[in-house]
């Protein structure tokens, strides 16, 4: 069974600080996604990571993938209040069917 | 090009009634996925459909739940004889190809409340 674990599950941080969210998965991945979800809203795709060593950046968020360690990270630089949301990683592995398997999510609260 | 459209956005049903949730995929997308999100939890896969076919229903409860994606019209997730535990947000996603080959895009979700 493909399992995806995120930590921390809850993160409270001050504006201007840096932090990292971790996503571990149990088998090889064909694709790894990071999503953002605001309360009561749908999921917004942030990054798609395909290969070992892939790094993508958008604004204050940077995602990386280490397929050997089965680990992806989402790094937040100089957090601002607008980044407050829930962040999910999700993995697709074709051996386990054509579906996304999600982590439990990380609730991020950025305090002014 | 409109995104994935789900309706209704909010649905209230009494215990024992039926709930029908609709999902129109993005134009050109023939693969549809349904996920359920319980409060404060991640999304759990329910079913994957391609036009007129159920490809993977490994996440669907064996009873009361069914899904279809007809040749014409939206995909429908049907829940019969709803119970309070069915209260959740149900999200639909669509993709151009299956197997994670192309990215899946999510709809706004239907929030089902069973009273």
């Amino acid at each position: 069974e493909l399992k995806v674990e995120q930590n921390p599950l809850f993160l409270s941080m001050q504006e201007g600080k840096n932090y990292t969210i971790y996503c571990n998965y149990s088998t090889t991945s064909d694709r790894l996604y990071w999503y953002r979800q605001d309360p009561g809203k749908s999921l917004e795709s942030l990054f798609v990571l395909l290969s070992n060593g892939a790094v993508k950046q958008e604004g204050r968020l940077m995602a990386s993938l280490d397929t050997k360690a089965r680990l992806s990270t989402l790094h937040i630089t100089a957090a601002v209040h607008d980044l407050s949301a829930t962040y999910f990683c999700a993995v697709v592995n074709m051996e386990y069917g054509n579906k996304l398997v999600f982590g439990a999510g990380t609730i991020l609260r950025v305090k002014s | 090009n409109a995104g994935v459209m789900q309706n209704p956005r909010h649905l209230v049903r009494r215990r024992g009634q039926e709930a029908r949730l609709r999902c129109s995929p993005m134009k050109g997308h023939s693969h549809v996925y349904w996920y359920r999100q319980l409060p404060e939890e991640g999304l759990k896969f329910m079913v994957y459909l391609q036009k007129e076919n159920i490809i993977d229903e490994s996440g669907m409860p064996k009873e009361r739940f069914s899904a279809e994606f007809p040749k014409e019209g939206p995909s429908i997730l049907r829940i019969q004889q709803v119970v309070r535990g069915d209260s959740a947000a149900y999200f639909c996603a669509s993709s151009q190809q299956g197997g994670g080959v192309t990215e899946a895009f999510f709809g706004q979700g239907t929030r089902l409340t069973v009273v």
Side-chain angles (χ1 to χ4, degrees):
Chain A
E1 182 185 354
L2 174 55
K3 293 185 179 180
V4 180
E5 292 185 354
Q6 281 182 243
N7 71 84
L9 298 182
F10 183 79
L11 178 55
S12 179
M13 53 193 299
Q14 294 286 341
E15 277 193 328
K17 297 292 187 182
N18 304 333
Y19 211 84
T20 300
I21 300 171
Y22 298 89
C23 174
N24 290 91
Y25 50 96
S26 58
T27 67
T28 57
S29 76
D30 294 310
R31 292 192 167 208
L32 189 142
Y33 294 84
W34 283 97
Y35 290 93
R36 168 182 172 147
Q37 186 181 36
D38 291 291
K41 304 292 185 182
S42 186
L43 281 77
E44 174 191 356
S45 177
L46 296 174
F47 301 108
V48 179
L49 302 169
L50 303 178
S51 57
N52 188 42
V55 176
K56 291 195 175 180
Q57 183 164 5
E58 181 73 34
R60 300 175 188 274
L61 300 177
M62 183 174 71
S64 65
L65 179 62
D66 181 343
T67 57
K68 294 179 181 177
R70 296 177 185 167
L71 171 69
S72 179
T73 61
L74 181 66
H75 187 73
I76 302 150
T77 302
V80 293
H81 181 71
D82 286 352
L83 289 179
S84 296
T86 300
Y87 292 85
F88 293 97
C89 65
V91 175
V92 174
N93 182 313
M94 292 181 67
E95 287 186 43
Y96 293 88
N98 304 327
K99 56 184 179 268
L100 290 161
V101 178
F102 281 83
T106 297
I107 300 172
L108 174 65
R109 294 290 175 262
V110 181
K111 297 183 287 187
S112 303
Chain B
N1 186 8
V4 179
M5 304 299 291
Q6 288 186 250
N7 69 83
R9 293 288 304 279
H10 300 273
L11 183 60
V12 180
R13 284 287 178 267
R14 295 186 185 279
R15 279 178 296 170
Q17 290 185 319
E18 178 180 287
R20 281 188 180 232
L21 288 62
R22 294 174 183 77
C23 170
S24 297
M26 287 179 69
K27 186 177 180 181
H29 288 193
S30 59
H31 300 256
V32 166
Y33 311 78
W34 285 94
Y35 292 82
R36 176 164 63 177
Q37 185 178 33
L38 295 170
E40 308 298 327
E41 292 189 14
L43 279 74
K44 303 293 185 187
F45 168 78
M46 299 183 74
V47 62
Y48 162 40
L49 310 103
Q50 199 178 353
K51 280 288 186 181
E52 299 185 273
N53 292 305
I54 296 174
I55 308 299
D56 180 353
E57 56 181 348
S58 58
M60 285 275 272
K62 299 299 181 191
E63 297 178 350
R64 302 189 297 109
F65 285 72
S66 62
E68 62 177 8
F69 188 16
K71 186 176 180 180
E72 300 292 337
S75 175
I76 306 286
L77 179 67
R78 183 182 177 205
I79 311 172
Q80 295 178 289
Q81 300 172 347
V82 295
V83 300
R84 288 222 171 107
D86 296 333
S87 295
Y90 292 83
F91 288 95
C92 165
S94 74
S95 65
Q96 202 169 36
Q97 299 179 50
V101 173
T102 55
E103 186 173 355
F105 294 87
F106 283 82
Q108 293 292 310
T110 293
R111 280 150 184 85
L112 173 65
T113 303
V114 179
V115 297

